[in-house]
Amino acid sequence: MGQVKLIVSNWKMNLDSKQATRLITNLKKLKKIHPNFKNIICPQFMLIPLVSRLINQNQIILGSQDCHYINEGAYTGDTSIKLLKENNCKYVIIGHSERRHNHKETDSIVRKKVEHVLLNKLKPIVCVGESLKQRKSNKYKYILKKQLNNCIPTNQNHIVIAYEPIWSIGSGLVPTLNEINEIYSLTKLFLRNNKKIKDFYFLYGGSVNSENFKKILDNTDVDGALIGGASLNFKEIKKILTKS
Ligand code: 13P
């Protein structure tokens, strides 16, 4: 989308309070974060108030890993956007494949969440991605277009799309640079023609580390990354954020 790159840490269900405090303390000391990089951290819900208190918001931006699409009510175990806002969250990851798989989140639930997040003036990071079977059977383009069609509302410039092939998450397998760019072009064309969206952020996620990150950022059209495992390791995330 432009100069600004979004480096999104998805801590998933990792880190306790002590470990999170240590990681944030180290991140706050980082002096040479690349000037165009936004450092966005999405901790577990229970860690959000702690991380919110620890960060300096000019340096680290807070996000969550999910939220409900209803303001409040009888939704045991869910989290409202009101509380996310109270705790200074600016971004919300929506429709991660782990939520789609483990919590049976459908495209229509994802769409409701995306609309709710936008209505509340936070920024959704909408995850799409195909399984290995879908990639091998050459159905991946169809699957991705279907997800984009079902999950993304029209006329929402600046929306964040995270392309996370399911076969790449935590596996060490990463698509080639050409494969990433193919999905970028598909997304760009689809959003322009079908959703009236010209400007959007396109993130890549899946086994990102400091080594492959540089190659991906320098040789594809991505606007950043959604990072799981490597975001928990200070040395790795430091290299990514400082592009060293
Ligand atoms: P890994 O970086 O651990 O493969 O996880 C990717 C991911 O699911 C980020 O949302």
Side-chain angles (χ1 to χ4, degrees), residues 39-87:
N39 181 12
I40 302 162
I41 297 189
C42 304
Q44 288 190 62
F45 285 118
M46 292 287 282
L47 290 174
I48 287 177
L50 168 72
V51 174
S52 176
R53 281 195 300 278
L54 290 173
I55 59 172
N56 165 354
Q57 286 184 56
N58 299 325
Q59 230 185 351
I60 295 174
I61 303 162
L62 195 50
S64 76
Q65 300 173 14
D66 180 45
C67 77
H68 202 281
Y69 55 84
I70 303 278
N71 279 331
E72 61 184 1
Y75 298 96
T76 304
D78 279 307
T79 299
S80 73
I81 205 149
K82 193 168 155 192
L83 283 180
L84 297 180
K85 285 169 93 168
E86 261 181 39
N87 284 280

Side-chain angles (χ1 to χ4, degrees), residues 10 12 93 96-98 127 164 168-172 205-208 226-230:
N10 178 6
K12 304 193 180 183
I93 299 173
H96 192 284
S97 59
E98 285 152 14
C127 299
E164 291 209 320
S168 180
I169 297 174
S171 65
S207 295
V208 171
L226 182 52
I227 309 166

Side-chain angles (χ1 to χ4, degrees), residues 8 11 40 52 54 90 98 103 125 131 139 143 171 220-221:
V8 186
W11 285 358
I40 302 162
S52 176
L54 290 173
K90 308 289 183 214
E98 285 152 14
H103 297 272
I125 299 172
S131 67
K139 279 200 190 129
I143 295 294
S171 65
T220 71
D221 289 310

